[in-house]
Amino acid sequence: MNGIPTLSLAGTHITLYSLLAILFSLAAACWSGIRFRQKGMRSFEGFLCCALCAVLGLFLGRLIFCAVRSSVMFYDPLGRFAGLSPFFQLQIGSLSVIGVIAGCLLSGVLYAKCTRKETGKVMDALALPGVWLFAVMRFVEPLSKQGYGPQVTAPFLCFAPLSIQNGWGGWNLSICFIEGVLLSAVALGLMFHKTKKSGTTALLALLLVSASQLLPESLRRDDVLRIFIFARITQMGFAVLFFLSAVLGWVRSKKQGLPGKHIALECALVLVSMVLLIGGEFALDKTQWPDGLIYLVMLAIILFMTVLAVRRLHRGDCTEK
């Protein structure tokens, strides 16, 4: 399978990456059960919610991947429609990570609504195991022959895990390792950060996870999903996720009496920041400006809008109704 490590279990071939994904997901489900109990719910409910996350996550992840790669997935080399069966053949193609995340978020909300649980409490219980699972899967992503960035030649970078050796003996920057480190930092921060109101932990996780992945996703040179040539699906998804999380934070602040003009100003600043990030991606692709300078400006923009959104969320968590 193109050099991807594969195992044979009970006559079925499965990639090592997929096997680890299953095992780590089961571990995250067990941890979620513990977290559910700590939040005053039953452990069994955590397992049920994680099962729903697996189903919807796989479905939406596959749906987005197949939609973007429809010409490859559903049509033969002559351009004839070959049916929808490849959608269900997981050994063909892959998944969209942003679709998996969206499916897990939707699962948490649906489970809370169907069981009449507090949505914020359910999402808080899922947040920490989910972030750690995401981080671990980034660390093992090289097993799927993905996760690499631009080629590097500096000796202090040409070794694992900072870089991934390519088929020609050279080295490419390990973007998945950088993403894994950033996600681990977010997860550690969540473990030691105390919040007062339900839902704050989940929103903080969404803000920090999405912000931490925006710049590394721009550096990927692997089989990344794209539309409109330079628009990366995962990067766009994280930008949307960040904005929606910030909106929920503003809504909470509005209910607590924050003046509408303050919310409008912060919303406008975040939107302008995202427009500038889009401009940065365009500049990387269409101009001769130094890439290092563009990335530095993009990093400053991401830090600015993250501080703005997290600061508002923290103030809302500390404010009494």
Short mmCIF file of all heavy atoms in Angstrom, two decimals, residues 35 39 124 128 185-197 199-205 208 252 310-311 313-315 317-318:
data_model
loop_
_atom_site.label_atom_id
_atom_site.label_comp_id
_atom_site.label_asym_id
_atom_site.label_seq_id
_atom_site.Cartn_x
_atom_site.Cartn_y
_atom_site.Cartn_z
N ARG A 35 -14.56 10.96 32.74
CA ARG A 35 -14.89 12.39 32.78
C ARG A 35 -16.39 12.62 32.94
O ARG A 35 -16.81 13.54 33.66
CB ARG A 35 -14.40 13.06 31.48
CG ARG A 35 -12.90 13.06 31.29
CD ARG A 35 -12.25 14.25 31.90
NE ARG A 35 -12.72 15.49 31.29
CZ ARG A 35 -12.42 16.70 31.75
NH1 ARG A 35 -11.68 16.83 32.83
NH2 ARG A 35 -12.87 17.77 31.13
N LYS A 39 -18.35 14.62 36.04
CA LYS A 39 -19.29 15.71 35.79
C LYS A 39 -20.69 15.41 36.31
O LYS A 39 -21.63 16.17 36.07
CB LYS A 39 -19.37 16.00 34.28
CG LYS A 39 -18.06 16.46 33.66
CD LYS A 39 -17.66 17.84 34.10
CE LYS A 39 -16.39 18.30 33.41
NZ LYS A 39 -15.95 19.64 33.85
N ASP A 124 -17.75 19.62 27.80
CA ASP A 124 -16.58 19.73 28.68
C ASP A 124 -15.99 18.35 28.98
O ASP A 124 -14.76 18.18 29.04
CB ASP A 124 -16.96 20.41 30.00
CG ASP A 124 -17.12 21.91 29.86
OD1 ASP A 124 -16.72 22.45 28.80
OD2 ASP A 124 -17.65 22.54 30.79
N LEU A 128 -11.20 17.27 26.85
CA LEU A 128 -9.82 16.89 27.14
C LEU A 128 -9.42 15.57 26.47
O LEU A 128 -8.35 15.50 25.83
CB LEU A 128 -9.61 16.82 28.65
CG LEU A 128 -8.17 16.71 29.14
CD1 LEU A 128 -7.32 17.85 28.57
CD2 LEU A 128 -8.12 16.74 30.66
N ALA A 185 0.41 20.95 24.15
CA ALA A 185 0.47 22.14 25.01
C ALA A 185 -0.94 22.62 25.36
O ALA A 185 -1.21 23.00 26.50
CB ALA A 185 1.26 23.25 24.30
N VAL A 186 -1.84 22.59 24.37
CA VAL A 186 -3.23 22.98 24.63
C VAL A 186 -3.86 22.03 25.64
O VAL A 186 -4.53 22.46 26.59
CB VAL A 186 -4.04 22.97 23.31
CG1 VAL A 186 -5.53 23.16 23.61
CG2 VAL A 186 -3.55 24.08 22.38
N ALA A 187 -3.65 20.72 25.45
CA ALA A 187 -4.23 19.72 26.35
C ALA A 187 -3.70 19.88 27.77
O ALA A 187 -4.46 19.79 28.75
CB ALA A 187 -3.94 18.32 25.83
N LEU A 188 -2.40 20.12 27.91
CA LEU A 188 -1.83 20.32 29.24
C LEU A 188 -2.41 21.57 29.90
O LEU A 188 -2.69 21.58 31.10
CB LEU A 188 -0.31 20.42 29.14
CG LEU A 188 0.45 19.11 28.88
CD1 LEU A 188 1.92 19.40 28.59
CD2 LEU A 188 0.30 18.18 30.07
N GLY A 189 -2.56 22.62 29.09
CA GLY A 189 -3.16 23.83 29.63
C GLY A 189 -4.58 23.61 30.11
O GLY A 189 -4.98 24.11 31.17
N LEU A 190 -5.35 22.83 29.37
CA LEU A 190 -6.73 22.53 29.76
C LEU A 190 -6.78 21.70 31.05
O LEU A 190 -7.70 21.86 31.86
CB LEU A 190 -7.45 21.78 28.64
CG LEU A 190 -7.72 22.55 27.34
CD1 LEU A 190 -8.30 21.63 26.29
CD2 LEU A 190 -8.66 23.73 27.60
N MET A 191 -5.80 20.81 31.23
CA MET A 191 -5.78 19.96 32.42
C MET A 191 -5.62 20.77 33.70
O MET A 191 -6.16 20.42 34.75
CB MET A 191 -4.65 18.93 32.30
CG MET A 191 -4.88 17.86 31.25
SD MET A 191 -3.54 16.66 31.14
CE MET A 191 -3.77 15.78 32.71
N PHE A 192 -4.87 21.86 33.60
CA PHE A 192 -4.58 22.64 34.80
C PHE A 192 -5.37 23.94 34.90
O PHE A 192 -5.26 24.67 35.88
CB PHE A 192 -3.08 22.96 34.86
CG PHE A 192 -2.22 21.74 35.00
CD1 PHE A 192 -1.55 21.21 33.91
CD2 PHE A 192 -2.10 21.09 36.23
CE1 PHE A 192 -0.76 20.08 34.03
CE2 PHE A 192 -1.32 19.96 36.37
CZ PHE A 192 -0.65 19.45 35.27
N HIS A 193 -6.20 24.21 33.85
CA HIS A 193 -6.99 25.44 33.87
C HIS A 193 -8.35 25.17 34.50
O HIS A 193 -9.06 24.27 34.09
CB HIS A 193 -7.18 25.96 32.44
CG HIS A 193 -7.95 27.24 32.36
ND1 HIS A 193 -7.43 28.45 32.75
CD2 HIS A 193 -9.21 27.50 31.93
CE1 HIS A 193 -8.33 29.40 32.57
NE2 HIS A 193 -9.42 28.84 32.07
N LYS A 194 -8.68 25.94 35.51
CA LYS A 194 -9.95 25.78 36.21
C LYS A 194 -10.97 26.77 35.67
O LYS A 194 -10.68 27.96 35.51
CB LYS A 194 -9.77 25.99 37.71
CG LYS A 194 -8.72 25.08 38.35
CD LYS A 194 -9.08 23.62 38.20
CE LYS A 194 -8.05 22.71 38.88
NZ LYS A 194 -8.37 21.28 38.70
N THR A 195 -12.16 26.27 35.38
CA THR A 195 -13.24 27.13 34.91
C THR A 195 -14.42 27.05 35.87
O THR A 195 -14.57 26.09 36.61
CB THR A 195 -13.70 26.70 33.50
OG1 THR A 195 -14.14 25.34 33.55
CG2 THR A 195 -12.57 26.83 32.50
N LYS A 196 -15.26 28.07 35.83
CA LYS A 196 -16.40 28.15 36.74
C LYS A 196 -17.71 27.72 36.10
O LYS A 196 -18.60 27.21 36.79
CB LYS A 196 -16.54 29.59 37.27
CG LYS A 196 -15.35 30.07 38.10
CD LYS A 196 -15.58 31.49 38.58
CE LYS A 196 -14.40 31.98 39.44
NZ LYS A 196 -14.60 33.37 39.91
N LYS A 197 -17.84 27.93 34.80
CA LYS A 197 -19.12 27.67 34.14
C LYS A 197 -18.99 26.54 33.13
O LYS A 197 -17.95 26.39 32.47
CB LYS A 197 -19.61 28.94 33.44
CG LYS A 197 -19.85 30.10 34.41
CD LYS A 197 -20.22 31.37 33.68
CE LYS A 197 -20.41 32.52 34.66
NZ LYS A 197 -20.70 33.78 33.96
N GLY A 199 -19.22 24.49 29.83
CA GLY A 199 -19.05 24.90 28.43
C GLY A 199 -17.81 25.72 28.18
O GLY A 199 -17.34 25.79 27.04
N THR A 200 -17.25 26.31 29.23
CA THR A 200 -16.06 27.15 29.04
C THR A 200 -14.86 26.32 28.60
O THR A 200 -14.12 26.72 27.71
CB THR A 200 -15.72 27.90 30.34
OG1 THR A 200 -16.83 28.72 30.73
CG2 THR A 200 -14.52 28.81 30.13
N THR A 201 -14.67 25.17 29.22
CA THR A 201 -13.54 24.31 28.85
C THR A 201 -13.63 23.89 27.39
O THR A 201 -12.63 23.92 26.66
CB THR A 201 -13.50 23.06 29.75
OG1 THR A 201 -13.29 23.46 31.11
CG2 THR A 201 -12.37 22.14 29.34
N ALA A 202 -14.82 23.51 26.95
CA ALA A 202 -14.99 23.08 25.56
C ALA A 202 -14.73 24.22 24.58
O ALA A 202 -14.04 24.04 23.56
CB ALA A 202 -16.41 22.53 25.36
N LEU A 203 -15.26 25.40 24.89
CA LEU A 203 -15.03 26.55 24.01
C LEU A 203 -13.57 26.95 23.98
O LEU A 203 -13.02 27.28 22.92
CB LEU A 203 -15.89 27.74 24.47
CG LEU A 203 -17.39 27.66 24.17
CD1 LEU A 203 -18.11 28.87 24.76
CD2 LEU A 203 -17.63 27.59 22.66
N LEU A 204 -12.92 26.91 25.14
CA LEU A 204 -11.50 27.24 25.20
C LEU A 204 -10.69 26.23 24.38
O LEU A 204 -9.77 26.61 23.65
CB LEU A 204 -11.03 27.24 26.65
CG LEU A 204 -9.57 27.64 26.90
CD1 LEU A 204 -9.31 29.06 26.41
CD2 LEU A 204 -9.21 27.50 28.37
N ALA A 205 -11.06 24.96 24.48
CA ALA A 205 -10.37 23.93 23.70
C ALA A 205 -10.54 24.18 22.20
O ALA A 205 -9.58 24.08 21.43
CB ALA A 205 -10.91 22.55 24.08
N LEU A 208 -8.37 27.28 21.11
CA LEU A 208 -6.93 27.06 21.11
C LEU A 208 -6.51 25.99 20.10
O LEU A 208 -5.47 26.12 19.45
CB LEU A 208 -6.47 26.67 22.52
CG LEU A 208 -6.64 27.76 23.58
CD1 LEU A 208 -6.17 27.26 24.95
CD2 LEU A 208 -5.88 29.03 23.20
N ARG A 252 -22.51 34.35 25.04
CA ARG A 252 -22.53 34.20 26.50
C ARG A 252 -22.29 35.54 27.19
O ARG A 252 -22.93 35.86 28.19
CB ARG A 252 -21.48 33.18 26.94
CG ARG A 252 -21.90 31.77 26.60
CD ARG A 252 -20.88 30.70 26.87
NE ARG A 252 -19.91 30.94 27.89
CZ ARG A 252 -19.50 30.01 28.76
NH1 ARG A 252 -20.05 28.80 28.74
NH2 ARG A 252 -18.57 30.27 29.63
N VAL A 310 -9.96 34.57 23.60
CA VAL A 310 -9.78 33.87 24.87
C VAL A 310 -9.99 34.82 26.04
O VAL A 310 -10.56 34.44 27.08
CB VAL A 310 -8.37 33.23 24.93
CG1 VAL A 310 -8.07 32.70 26.33
CG2 VAL A 310 -8.25 32.11 23.91
N ARG A 311 -9.55 36.06 25.89
CA ARG A 311 -9.75 37.05 26.94
C ARG A 311 -11.24 37.29 27.19
O ARG A 311 -11.69 37.37 28.34
CB ARG A 311 -9.06 38.36 26.53
CG ARG A 311 -9.23 39.54 27.49
CD ARG A 311 -8.34 40.67 27.04
NE ARG A 311 -8.64 41.91 27.75
CZ ARG A 311 -9.47 42.84 27.32
NH1 ARG A 311 -10.11 42.66 26.15
NH2 ARG A 311 -9.69 43.94 28.01
N LEU A 313 -13.67 35.16 26.53
CA LEU A 313 -14.20 33.93 27.11
C LEU A 313 -13.88 33.84 28.60
O LEU A 313 -14.72 33.46 29.41
CB LEU A 313 -13.64 32.72 26.37
CG LEU A 313 -14.17 31.35 26.80
CD1 LEU A 313 -15.66 31.25 26.53
CD2 LEU A 313 -13.42 30.24 26.06
N HIS A 314 -12.65 34.21 28.97
CA HIS A 314 -12.24 34.16 30.37
C HIS A 314 -13.03 35.16 31.20
O HIS A 314 -13.48 34.84 32.32
CB HIS A 314 -10.74 34.47 30.47
CG HIS A 314 -10.24 34.53 31.88
ND1 HIS A 314 -10.13 33.41 32.68
CD2 HIS A 314 -9.82 35.58 32.64
CE1 HIS A 314 -9.67 33.77 33.87
NE2 HIS A 314 -9.47 35.07 33.87
N ARG A 315 -13.24 36.34 30.66
CA ARG A 315 -14.03 37.34 31.40
C ARG A 315 -15.46 36.89 31.58
O ARG A 315 -16.06 37.09 32.63
CB ARG A 315 -13.99 38.68 30.67
CG ARG A 315 -12.66 39.42 30.78
CD ARG A 315 -12.76 40.83 30.22
NE ARG A 315 -11.58 41.60 30.50
CZ ARG A 315 -11.45 42.90 30.20
NH1 ARG A 315 -12.46 43.54 29.61
NH2 ARG A 315 -10.34 43.54 30.49
N ASP A 317 -16.41 33.83 31.79
CA ASP A 317 -16.44 32.74 32.77
C ASP A 317 -16.36 33.26 34.20
O ASP A 317 -16.91 32.65 35.13
CB ASP A 317 -15.25 31.80 32.51
CG ASP A 317 -15.27 30.58 33.40
OD1 ASP A 317 -16.23 29.80 33.29
OD2 ASP A 317 -14.33 30.41 34.20
N CYS A 318 -15.70 34.39 34.38
CA CYS A 318 -15.52 34.95 35.73
C CYS A 318 -16.66 35.88 36.14
O CYS A 318 -16.77 36.25 37.30
CB CYS A 318 -14.20 35.72 35.81
SG CYS A 318 -12.74 34.68 35.60
#
